[in-house]
Each structure stands twice: as C-alpha cells, then as structure tokens.
Amino acid sequence: MTSATQRRAYGAERAPYARRSPAPARARTAAAPYAFLVPAAVLFALFFALPIGYAIWLSFRKVHVSGLGLGAGARNEVWAGLENYTDALKDPELLDGALRVLGYGCIVVPLMLGLALLFALMLDTERVRLTSFSRLAIFLPYAVPGVVAALLWGFLYLPDVSPFYYVLDALHLPQPDLLDGGALYGALANIAVWGGTGFNMIVIYTSLRAIPAEVYEAAKLDGATPFQIAVRIKIPMVAPSLVLTFFFSIIATLQVFSEPTTLKPLTNSVNTSWSPLMKVYQDAFGKGDIYAAAAEAVLIALATLVLSFGFLRAANRRNKQEATR
C-alpha cells in the first residue's frame, strides 16, 4: 500500500472526528432555547413583574399635603413606611369584606368541587349515554363571561322580571328575596358554582380517563361494586386533581369581584366594599388613594399565597405519609 493510500485510509478513519461543528455554531445551538424564551420573559416582566413591583413601591408611599393643598408643590409624594399597611389592617371595611368572602368561600368551594367530582364520576361510568353532549353541557357555563353570567342570574333573582317568581306566585308559594340578607351569599355562590363546576369537572374527568382499565378489571374480579370502585379506587387515584382544583378554587374565591360588583346596582345589600377587591377598587378609583389601595392589594396577594401554599404543603405532607405506610 502506497503512502498516499495510507494517508487516505487514515483520513477516512478520522473523517467523523474531523467534521466537528465549529465553536461558534455550537454556541448558537446552545443559545437557541434561551432565544425562544426571550419573548415570554419580556412579556412576563412588562405585564406581571413590573406592575407587581410598582404596586409594592406605591404601598410604601403617600401624599403629603402642605397648607390647603393649593398651588405648586403643595402636594408631594413622600415615604410612608408601613403606615398604609397598618391602616389597612385596622380598616373595618377591609376586615368585614374578608369575613364575607370567607363565608362565601365556605359555600362555593365544597359545593363546586363536590358537584364536579360527582359529574366526573357519573360520566366515567360504562352505562352513561351521550357522554360528549353531557360533558359539553356541563362545561358550557364556564365559557360564559363572569359579568354576563352575573347579569343573567341577577335578573332571574329580581322579583319583577324573574319567571320563577311568577310561577311561585301562581302556586301561592312564598317568594324569597335572594338579593337581601343571608340569601345573598347563596345567590352569589350559585353564580360561581354554575360557572366553575364545568372546568373542575373536566380536570377530574381527564384524570379518571388516565386510570388504566386493568385496575377496574381487577377490582371487578374481586367482586367490587361500581360504588366501591368509585369510592375506593377512583377518588383516591384522582386526589392530585382534587388538590389542584381546590388550589384554583381558593384563589378564585379570594379574588371574587365581578359577581358582587355586577349585582350591586340591583340591591342595596351589596356595598362598595363587599369584598376585599371591591374595597381596593373603591379606594383606588373612587377615593383616588392609590397608595392605600396598593397596600391592600399586596395584603390580599400575601393572604392568597399563604393560604394556597399552606394547603399545598399540607397536601404534600399527607401524600408522603400515605406513601410511607
């Protein structure tokens, strides 16, 4: 074999190693994922991180008025420290709104998740018919905007225009005022349950469909009834979905705003500070005190974080304890 042939053979053996990409090309390939993240990061910073940071900054400020507050330099923005937070925690309207939302949540969350779980279990049975239509019918109210849903139910609650009151009057039955007193909590909870059950049902139903069929077949061979399968197999296996829906429901309950705001013109039982977010809106745009409103908004956000992550931590601890048994 000649030296040239030997060189070609040696070069052919080394060819795969000689075709390595240059360093700049490898660097561009490594940076490609980060380039795709740039638009999302920019949007997150502009429309989420910066507004939160600005609200926190405003919560530590206030307006100092000199004299009568007239003329240039009479109103100056100064550092307030924790004054806005202490005032918010002492505000009876904010505390009363938090208690009202707590009572509202005690009705909404158990009822909504209970119905969602019930519907999901019913749709997951073998004998059910028109499954696709039933799923769509249960989920459809979630697609209705909250303001539209509140207006729809608000007019159904009004005695003068509601068809239900005409039926009750024709049957000589009592006509309760659903927009006054304790019944108002049930009226508001009904709107939230009607609109949110479908979404939670889809989440739970998707988890049920992911359970292997062999699990059900083994339970049937052991003589388990459909009710026993649902209670002892399906519900424990969809526990993570129940935790997730409960987490979302807590956040939605603490941020209730559109339903009471929409029903406010229809009744005198809903004031401008019925919920904490309504109090924030009233202080910011009704009274023009954006500094107090920012502090109240930060407190609501902190309460939401504490309750949500506290529940998640308790759920994770329970799952670990069950896994070690």
Side-chain angles (χ1 to χ4, degrees), residues 286-319:
K287 300 179 181 178
D289 190 355
I290 60 174
Y291 310 99
E296 294 164 357
V298 172
L299 289 176
I300 295 172
L302 290 176
T304 304
L305 288 175
V306 170
L307 290 177
S308 302
F309 285 102
F311 170 75
L312 288 178
R313 188 171 183 179
N316 292 333
R317 187 184 300 112
R318 181 179 179 182
N319 292 335

Side-chain angles (χ1 to χ4, degrees), residues 7-67:
R7 286 195 300 269
R8 284 196 299 271
Y10 180 78
E13 293 177 358
R14 297 293 300 275
Y17 303 95
R19 293 174 185 170
R20 284 185 173 180
S21 300
R26 291 198 303 270
R28 288 195 298 268
T29 304
Y34 301 99
F36 285 110
L37 290 176
V38 168
V42 171
L43 292 176
F44 176 84
L46 289 177
F47 299 102
F48 190 80
L50 286 179
I52 291 178
Y54 184 60
I56 295 175
W57 182 77
L58 286 177
S59 66
F60 292 103
R61 311 285 291 181
K62 70 176 183 179
V63 173
H64 176 71
V65 180
S66 300

Side-chain angles (χ1 to χ4, degrees), residues 23-319:
R26 291 198 303 270
R28 288 195 298 268
T29 304
Y34 301 99
F36 285 110
L37 290 176
V38 168
V42 171
L43 292 176
F44 176 84
L46 289 177
F47 299 102
F48 190 80
L50 286 179
I52 291 178
Y54 184 60
I56 295 175
W57 182 77
L58 286 177
S59 66
F60 292 103
R61 311 285 291 181
K62 70 176 183 179
V63 173
H64 176 71
V65 180
S66 300
L68 298 177
L70 303 177
R75 302 172 65 90
N76 297 314
E77 185 179 288
V78 297
W79 179 258
L82 298 177
E83 181 179 345
N84 292 325
Y85 290 95
T86 56
D87 292 342
L89 293 174
K90 296 177 182 178
D91 193 339
E93 291 186 348
L94 185 63
L95 298 178
D96 291 342
L99 293 177
R100 282 190 288 264
V101 168
L102 179 62
Y104 165 83
C106 290
I107 301 174
V108 170
V109 176
L111 186 58
M112 181 169 58
L113 295 185
L115 288 176
L117 178 61
L118 177 62
F119 290 148
L121 292 173
M122 292 174 62
L123 291 175
D124 194 54
T125 57
E126 297 178 353
R127 299 180 181 180
V128 69
R129 298 180 180 180
L130 301 175
T131 305
S132 300
F133 174 78
S134 301
R135 285 202 310 266
L136 179 62
I138 299 172
F139 179 77
L140 189 60
Y142 178 74
V144 179
V147 176
V148 176
L151 283 174
L152 170 65
W153 283 104
F155 283 106
L156 291 177
Y157 294 151
L158 286 177
D160 296 335
V161 297
S162 175
F164 300 112
Y165 283 89
Y166 288 105
V167 175
L168 294 175
D169 183 56
L171 297 175
H172 302 286
L173 295 175
Q175 303 175 13
D177 188 359
L178 298 178
L179 296 177
D180 188 22
L184 178 64
Y185 288 87
L188 290 170
N190 174 65
I191 300 174
V193 171
W194 180 78
T197 300
F199 171 80
N200 295 307
M201 181 273 298
I202 290 295
V203 175
I204 300 172
Y205 178 75
T206 303
S207 298
L208 287 173
R209 300 303 295 174
I211 300 175
E214 293 80 5
V215 177
Y216 300 147
E217 294 175 359
K220 291 177 183 178
L221 292 176
D222 291 338
T225 63
F227 178 78
Q228 291 174 335
I229 292 175
V231 174
R232 299 182 180 180
I233 296 178
K234 292 184 177 181
I235 294 179
M237 295 191 73
V238 299
S241 297
L242 293 175
V243 171
L244 179 65
T245 53
F246 190 84
F247 176 75
F248 288 153
S249 300
I250 290 178
I251 296 176
T253 300
L254 294 176
Q255 296 179 353
V256 60
F257 177 79
S258 60
E259 291 87 354
T261 302
T262 306
L263 293 183
K264 181 180 175 300
L266 305 180
T267 176
N268 294 326
S269 299
V270 179
N271 54 27
T272 56
S273 59
W274 192 90
S275 70
L277 281 187
M278 292 178 67
K279 177 69 165 59
V280 173
Y281 182 87
Q282 176 65 19
D283 288 344
F285 302 103
K287 300 179 181 178
D289 190 355
I290 60 174
Y291 310 99
E296 294 164 357
V298 172
L299 289 176
I300 295 172
L302 290 176
T304 304
L305 288 175
V306 170
L307 290 177
S308 302
F309 285 102
F311 170 75
L312 288 178
R313 188 171 183 179
N316 292 333
R317 187 184 300 112
R318 181 179 179 182
N319 292 335

